[in-house]
Amino acid sequence: IHHITSGSRERYESEAIKTDGSIIQLEIYAKDISFNGKVTRMVACRDITERKKSEEIIRANEQRILLATSTGNIGIWDWDIVYDNLHWDDSMYSLYGIQKDTFNGAYEAWINTLYPEDKDFTDNEIQAALRGEREYAPEFRIVKPDGSIRIIKASSHTFRNENNKAIRMIGTNIDITERTLSEKALKESEARYRFISENIDDSMWIFSIQDNKFTYISAAVFSLRGFTPEEVLQQRLDEVLTPESYQRAMLNIKNALTERVPVDTSNYYSVTLLDQVRKDGSIVSTEVSSSLVFNEKGEPIELIGLTHDITERKRNEEAIRESEEKFRIAFDDAPSGMSIINDKLNYIAVNPLLCEMFGYSREEFLNQNIKLISHPDDQERSNIWISKKMKGEPCEAVLEKRYIHKDG
């Protein structure tokens, strides 16, 4: 009322309450006019409630855009094609490492920032968009003033006049350098892993803890179990292992998960002997090495491992055990006294007959030097002969010497 009566302002905004109690936004005009020879104050009102709502939405959107571009390495550009005027927001200058006063806002100035080998490709994509063949959305490299190279992903929308001629293009640039390099490194790592897994005799695999099944297994599993990788991916773990080995494997997994400190993402590593079932029903003995894999929250989600066929190793170990048992029987039951000595000429094994011959127990012999029963006058000659035998040097086939019984 004060503004209306005082004439201090001609235009201002205010709120008013309607008869239904709702509040509306008003734009009020007040102006002095001459009416019937008198100066009269004319007042006009206009409801601007919807306009104010629209302005608020626009401001909110601008704030969201500003937040997105400032925190997400996103730049926004607007190209007036008719006048070749290219407008960048602040984030675009930051992405390209360019000062505002060094950029003249022309298409050619932008082209000159591109990596030399990407210029023709990127320009062709622009021209295709101008012709209406497709929207402009390539990936390309730029060279910043400091010489560093960044990878940019572009997207845009082209505006056309009534003759379908391109007159304006608005778009975004996003710096995807780190993401691209990470994806490249991941692909290279996966390629190396696949190459190794497909070219070694051992079976490499990935096992989902949550789903209790394999999500990947290399082709070597066919030689190991007679199943194709595709068949194994459909099998449960209890179908892969014998019942006893399955129980052992599940206990190992449970222990690994329960004994691990929750905040500890250090790699858990285990080696376990497990028997697996082949397609023909036979059993193959394996040595399984595995490590836990964690997600970004530090939660264990997978086991990655290597399975090695130890059938031949177990066969060799059994043959060695049989050979050692045969030797033990022959050694213990030999009709003559026998002993084994080390390089220091100490006894490490004696048979019962030798103990009987010299009156010493097995415990008394062990770790004693051969001089325990050797005659002093024959000791040097005996030591020389044994030394030559151990070195493989020529010497007499049989040595005759004197010994001393425990009773003297």
Side-chain angles (χ1 to χ4, degrees):
I1 300 298
H2 171 73
H3 292 307
I4 294 175
T5 57
S6 65
S8 58
R9 284 195 301 179
E10 290 188 353
R11 177 183 176 280
Y12 55 91
E13 295 177 0
S14 182
E15 293 181 347
I17 302 176
K18 296 175 65 175
T19 56
D20 61 5
S22 61
I23 298 176
I24 60 174
Q25 302 287 327
L26 294 178
E27 186 176 55
I28 301 175
Y29 294 89
K31 187 176 182 180
D32 291 338
I33 62 173
S34 176
F35 183 74
N36 293 330
K38 295 182 179 180
V39 176
T40 304
R41 191 76 167 164
M42 184 188 71
V43 179
C45 298
R46 185 173 62 161
D47 186 343
I48 59 171
T49 304
E50 292 303 319
R51 191 189 80 187
K52 298 294 287 185
K53 288 180 180 179
S54 298
E55 290 175 351
E56 185 60 32
I57 292 173
I58 291 172
R59 275 194 299 271
N61 288 339
E62 288 176 345
Q63 290 174 350
R64 294 189 187 103
I65 292 172
L66 179 61
L67 178 63
T69 56
S70 61
T71 61
N73 283 337
I74 302 174
I76 298 176
W77 50 270
D78 187 343
W79 182 29
D80 184 334
I81 300 170
V82 177
Y83 294 99
D84 190 22
N85 183 19
L86 182 59
H87 174 74
W88 283 2
D89 71 351
D90 291 341
S91 293
M92 283 290 291
Y93 289 104
S94 177
L95 284 180
Y96 282 74
I98 295 176
Q99 299 295 324
K100 286 185 179 182
D101 55 4
T102 63
F103 184 70
N104 64 12
Y107 177 80
E108 191 65 28
W110 167 73
I111 280 288
N112 289 333
T113 66
L114 302 186
Y115 189 78
E117 295 179 7
D118 293 354
K119 285 185 178 181
D120 289 343
F121 161 73
T122 309
D123 183 60
N124 289 338
E125 289 298 301
I126 284 280
Q127 300 308 318
L130 295 180
R131 293 191 297 268
E133 297 174 6
R134 55 183 174 272
E135 286 293 357
Y136 171 73
E139 293 182 8
F140 53 88
R141 290 167 292 180
I142 64 171
V143 182
K144 299 179 75 171
D146 62 5
S148 61
I149 298 173
R150 308 298 293 178
I151 303 172
I152 301 296
K153 174 70 175 85
S155 61
S156 70
H157 178 73
T158 305
F159 297 87
R160 301 179 181 278
N161 62 16
E162 63 277 5
N163 298 320
N164 202 36
K165 182 179 180 180
I167 58 173
R168 185 183 180 192
M169 190 180 291
I170 297 177
T172 61
N173 276 185
I174 304 175
D175 188 334
I176 60 169
T177 306
E178 280 70 30
R179 187 188 78 188
T180 303
L181 294 178
S182 296
E183 290 173 351
K184 181 182 178 182
L186 179 60
K187 289 179 180 178
E188 291 176 350
S189 176
E190 289 177 344
R192 287 193 296 269
Y193 178 83
R194 295 281 178 175
F195 177 80
I196 294 172
S197 67
E198 301 301 334
N199 288 277
I200 62 173
D201 295 332
D202 293 342
S203 174
M204 299 183 72
W205 48 266
I206 300 173
F207 181 80
S208 170
I209 296 174
Q210 180 178 359
D211 299 331
N212 192 32
K213 63 186 297 185
F214 292 98
T215 57
Y216 167 77
I217 194 158
S218 66
V221 72
F222 183 77
S223 299
L224 180 71
R225 298 183 55 226
F227 291 99
T228 64
E230 292 74 21
E231 290 174 323
V232 176
L233 292 179
Q234 301 303 316
Q235 293 179 327
R236 301 186 310 273
L237 191 58
D238 60 349
E239 297 175 302
V240 174
L241 304 174
T242 63
E244 182 182 353
S245 290
Y246 174 72
Q247 294 299 326
R248 190 184 317 128
M250 295 306 295
L251 181 61
N252 286 346
I253 294 175
K254 179 182 177 180
N255 290 340
L257 298 179
T258 57
E259 294 175 3
R260 187 183 67 85
V261 179
V263 296
D264 180 19
T265 58
S266 58
N267 209 7
Y268 162 83
Y269 181 75
S270 171
V271 178
T272 311
L273 299 183
L274 299 172
D275 290 332
Q276 303 195 25
V277 182
R278 291 180 53 84
K279 196 169 188 176
D280 60 9
S282 61
I283 305 300
V284 57
S285 298
T286 64
E287 182 182 74
V288 179
S289 305
S290 61
S291 296
L292 278 175
V293 178
F294 303 88
N295 62 15
E296 64 278 1
K297 297 179 181 178
E299 302 167 336
I301 56 172
E302 292 177 333
L303 280 168
I304 183 170
L306 190 70
T307 300
H308 177 63
D309 185 348
I310 61 170
T311 304
E312 187 65 26
R313 189 179 83 186
K314 292 193 72 175
R315 188 180 296 118
N316 292 337
E317 289 173 350
E318 183 61 29
I320 291 173
R321 279 194 295 270
E322 291 179 0
S323 175
E324 290 176 343
E325 180 63 18
K326 290 176 181 178
F327 172 77
R328 186 192 63 79
I329 294 173
F331 183 78
D332 288 346
D333 297 342
S336 59
M338 297 184 68
S339 65
I340 301 174
I341 59 175
N342 60 21
D343 58 348
K344 293 182 173 57
L345 306 183
N346 293 329
Y347 291 105
I348 57 176
V350 294
N351 70 349
L353 188 55
L354 189 73
C355 295
E356 184 182 339
M357 288 171 59
F358 295 102
Y360 291 97
S361 67
R362 178 177 178 274
E363 289 71 22
E364 290 175 314
F365 261 116
L366 294 183
N367 296 319
Q368 291 292 328
N369 195 269
I370 61 172
K371 65 183 180 181
L372 175 69
I373 58 174
S374 296
H375 192 283
D377 294 343
D378 295 341
Q379 183 69 55
E380 183 177 356
R381 183 168 59 91
S382 174
N383 290 352
I384 293 174
W385 182 83
I386 293 173
S387 178
K388 287 183 177 182
K389 279 290 185 181
M390 287 186 170
K391 295 177 181 177
E393 298 176 356
C395 62
E396 299 90 341
V398 178
L399 174 70
E400 292 185 0
K401 57 175 287 188
R402 290 167 290 179
Y403 291 93
I404 302 175
H405 193 275
K406 184 177 182 180
D407 61 10

